[in-house]
Amino acid sequence: MEIDEVAARVARSYWALLLVMTVVPLVLVGGLMSRQDPPAVAKTRLQATAKAADAAAGDAGVSTEVSQVKAFATSENLLSGVLGQLRLHRSTSKLAKSISVAGLGTSTVVELSVKDRDPQAARRMTDGIGAAVVQEINDSNQGAITQQIAGIDKRVRDLEKKLGPLSRRAGAQPNPDIGAANERERVQAELTDLRSNRSDLQAQLLAAGNASVVQPAVLAPKSNPAVMMAAVAGLVGLVAGILVAVVTEMARPTVPGQRRVARRLGVPLLGWADRGPAELADLGRRVRLAARKEEVGNVTLVGAPGPLPADLVSSVASAVYGDRTKVVGTRPVRQRPGEGGGIVTGAAAKSKDGKAKDGKPKDGGPEKGGPGDGSGGGTVDGASLNSSGPGTGRSRSVVRAGGGTAVMTKKSGEAVSPTDVTQPVPVPVRAVCHVHAFEDIDPGSDDEVGVVVVVGPVTRVSGLETVRDLVAASGWPLLGVIATSRKIKG
């Protein structure tokens, strides 16, 4: 199956569903968003770290810093502390959803933004959250080193307190304390080591860097997200509609387009039944050609599936019959005695003055045929030739094309003289092709019948299978497909 056929099946069969699924969410979301004031957005910028290594890491380092700031900014404890300090009543879970963090290029500066219905509250919360995040980052990066330095400082102060008494005891005269002297040496050595360790930790602390607030919170320009949200809602509705259409199409497959139906059935597309008189006349000619090719005299129109409207069958039948019903007038023609009436094969009956009935100049005398009874009655192709009745000036008969020869009637009620006979007017003969709805076909008839399928823009595959079953069961030839621009309603 081709991509264009799949698209045509979904678009032609379910265009109304797709339209509704797209327009309804778009209108609803757009109307709802237009009634609401857009929230205020406050933004601040933070220096997440001052490490040169992190700055040189590129996108990977930026992603790490953004994730770290996001984790601290949305933590429950931090938000609770900030809201308590600012004395604002907000839900921490909703506040966490309104916080967003984005990186700025490959730098270690990140942008933290907070949305709130109150612009001033949004700005205050952004400042408070930014300061708390900076404190948390610094504590995380420098807390261990700071604690170690504080421990060393405390130990140094304690040792320095002991060092004075030990020095006095070791230097007492005339009896210095040898034990105090040894203890003094040990304390001095430990102080030297502690000061060395503190210097190393101080270097590490400087290398770790400090997080800081680069820019205080400012309010961003207001933007209306109604258009974007409505477009997103319409797109989501369209995707949902396509999914529904695909599932429905899998359950009840269809064939889009009349020409694709003809290709599937292996027959030609004969024409269109509802595109004006010119197309209808061309359709009639093609149906007659198809019937002549298969040597059938009857054509049945079937739907795929279901019965067809009577006006559609009538219009197709009229197009197939064509302009073949003619009203012909007759006049008695004077003949010489001894010449009997007969069948005339000329173009029109002549009047006594040599002119045709329609007023055209005379082009020759009447031709003579075989003997006739002059009774004035007869049939042509099963249609009665009736006189116009007594008291009229001339008779009028309806003549249809058929397989026999036309015989004209004498005027009713007029005395027939030995020399006045009715001369018939010949009519061009053409074999009749009868068109019927499938419901009007007699299954017991021996007539050969051709099948023509009438389809609309979309046809179910089950309908085509019904047509194939009909052709297989009846043995009738399938002549072609007639197309209509609209859905057929029987």
Side-chain angles (χ1 to χ4, degrees):
M1 185 180 299
E2 299 176 354
I3 298 297
D4 60 340
E5 181 174 353
V6 175
R9 288 171 63 179
V10 174
R12 293 188 181 184
S13 301
Y14 306 98
W15 63 269
L17 173 66
L18 298 180
L19 182 62
V20 170
M21 293 291 288
T22 302
V23 173
V24 170
L26 189 147
V27 173
L28 290 179
V29 174
L32 183 63
M33 294 297 296
S34 62
R35 296 179 182 179
Q36 298 178 354
D37 293 332
V41 180
K43 298 181 179 181
T44 184
R45 293 184 179 184
L46 309 177
Q47 176 72 51
T49 182
K51 291 182 181 180
D54 292 339
D59 294 338
V62 172
S63 177
T64 302
E65 298 302 329
V66 170
S67 300
Q68 184 184 30
V69 172
K70 180 78 172 179
F72 284 126
T74 56
S75 63
E76 182 76 17
N77 296 333
L78 185 143
L79 294 179
S80 299
V82 171
L83 292 175
Q85 291 176 1
L86 299 177
R87 297 180 181 179
L88 294 174
H89 300 284
R90 298 287 189 276
S91 172
T92 55
S93 59
K94 292 183 179 179
L95 180 58
K97 293 179 181 178
S98 65
I99 296 174
S100 61
V101 180
L104 299 176
T106 58
S107 67
T108 58
V109 177
V110 297
E111 186 176 67
L112 184 145
S113 60
V114 179
K115 295 180 181 179
D116 193 77
R117 61 182 180 274
D118 185 0
Q120 297 302 323
R123 187 179 59 79
R124 292 171 59 195
M125 286 189 295
T126 304
D127 280 333
I129 294 173
V133 167
V134 167
Q135 183 64 36
E136 290 290 337
I137 292 176
N138 290 333
D139 291 344
S140 175
N141 294 338
Q142 304 175 0
I145 300 176
T146 304
Q147 289 179 0
Q148 292 182 17
I149 293 176
I152 291 175
D153 291 341
K154 182 178 179 181
R155 180 61 177 169
V156 167
R157 287 194 298 270
D158 292 340
L159 294 177
E160 287 178 348
K161 290 180 181 179
K162 292 180 180 181
L163 185 60
L166 291 175
S167 297
R168 286 193 298 270
R169 288 169 56 190
Q173 293 296 331
N175 296 318
D177 190 347
I178 302 300
N182 294 334
E183 183 66 18
R184 185 186 61 181
E185 295 296 331
R186 186 188 66 80
V187 169
Q188 289 179 347
E190 184 177 355
L191 285 173
T192 302
D193 293 338
L194 289 175
R195 290 189 179 99
S196 176
N197 292 337
R198 190 179 187 284
S199 299
D200 295 339
L201 291 175
Q202 191 69 32
Q204 294 178 16
L205 185 62
L206 293 176
N210 291 325
S212 60
V213 177
V214 176
Q215 173 186 297
V218 294
L219 293 175
K222 287 188 176 182
S223 61
N224 190 359
V227 176
M228 183 184 68
M229 295 300 295
V232 171
L235 181 60
V236 172
L238 177 62
V239 172
I242 292 175
L243 292 178
V244 173
V246 169
V247 172
T248 307
E249 189 66 21
M250 292 174 63
R252 296 185 301 173
T254 58
V255 179
Q258 298 86 346
R259 192 166 296 278
R260 288 189 176 93
V261 172
R263 286 204 302 264
R264 284 208 175 194
L265 294 176
V267 292
L269 180 63
L270 299 177
W272 297 80
D274 55 356
R275 287 192 175 180
E279 289 281 350
L280 199 59
D282 184 65
L283 170 63
R285 287 189 292 269
R286 295 191 182 193
V287 172
R288 289 197 299 271
L289 288 174
R292 181 179 179 184
K293 176 183 176 183
E294 298 294 338
E295 298 181 354
V296 295
N298 294 280
V299 174
T300 179
L301 302 181
V302 298
L308 299 173
D311 55 348
L312 176 61
V313 177
S314 300
S315 63
V316 175
S318 301
V320 173
Y321 293 148
D323 187 14
R324 302 170 59 189
T325 302
K326 303 178 184 298
V327 180
V328 182
T330 61
R331 288 192 61 181
V333 180
R334 181 77 61 183
Q335 294 181 339
R336 286 188 289 273
E339 297 178 348
I343 300 174
V344 181
T345 60
K350 307 294 191 299
S351 63
K352 288 194 253 182
D353 57 359
K355 290 184 179 180
K357 186 185 79 167
D358 56 2
K360 294 181 181 179
K362 181 173 84 174
D363 57 356
E367 297 182 3
K368 299 179 181 179
D373 56 4
S375 63
T379 60
V380 176
D381 192 24
S384 299
L385 300 176
N386 302 319
S387 62
S388 59
T392 59
R394 67 176 65 189
S395 65
R396 301 179 67 86
S397 302
V398 178
V399 181
R400 291 176 182 252
T405 306
V407 180
M408 306 308 298
T409 61
K410 177 67 176 167
K411 287 196 301 182
S412 175
E414 182 178 332
V416 181
S417 65
T419 58
D420 289 345
V421 296
T422 300
Q423 182 167 320
V425 178
V427 179
V429 179
R430 185 170 64 187
V432 177
C433 180
H434 299 284
V435 178
H436 306 280
F438 177 69
E439 293 76 14
D440 300 332
I441 293 294
D442 182 11
S445 175
D446 295 334
D447 295 336
E448 290 292 333
V449 180
V451 179
V452 174
V453 186
V454 183
V455 298
V458 179
T459 307
R460 291 185 182 179
V461 175
S462 59
L464 299 185
E465 296 300 330
T466 302
V467 173
R468 290 193 181 98
D469 293 341
L470 171 63
V471 172
S474 63
W476 296 339
L478 186 59
L479 303 182
V481 174
I482 294 178
T484 59
S485 301
R486 297 180 180 178
K487 183 179 179 180
I488 301 174
K489 297 181 179 179

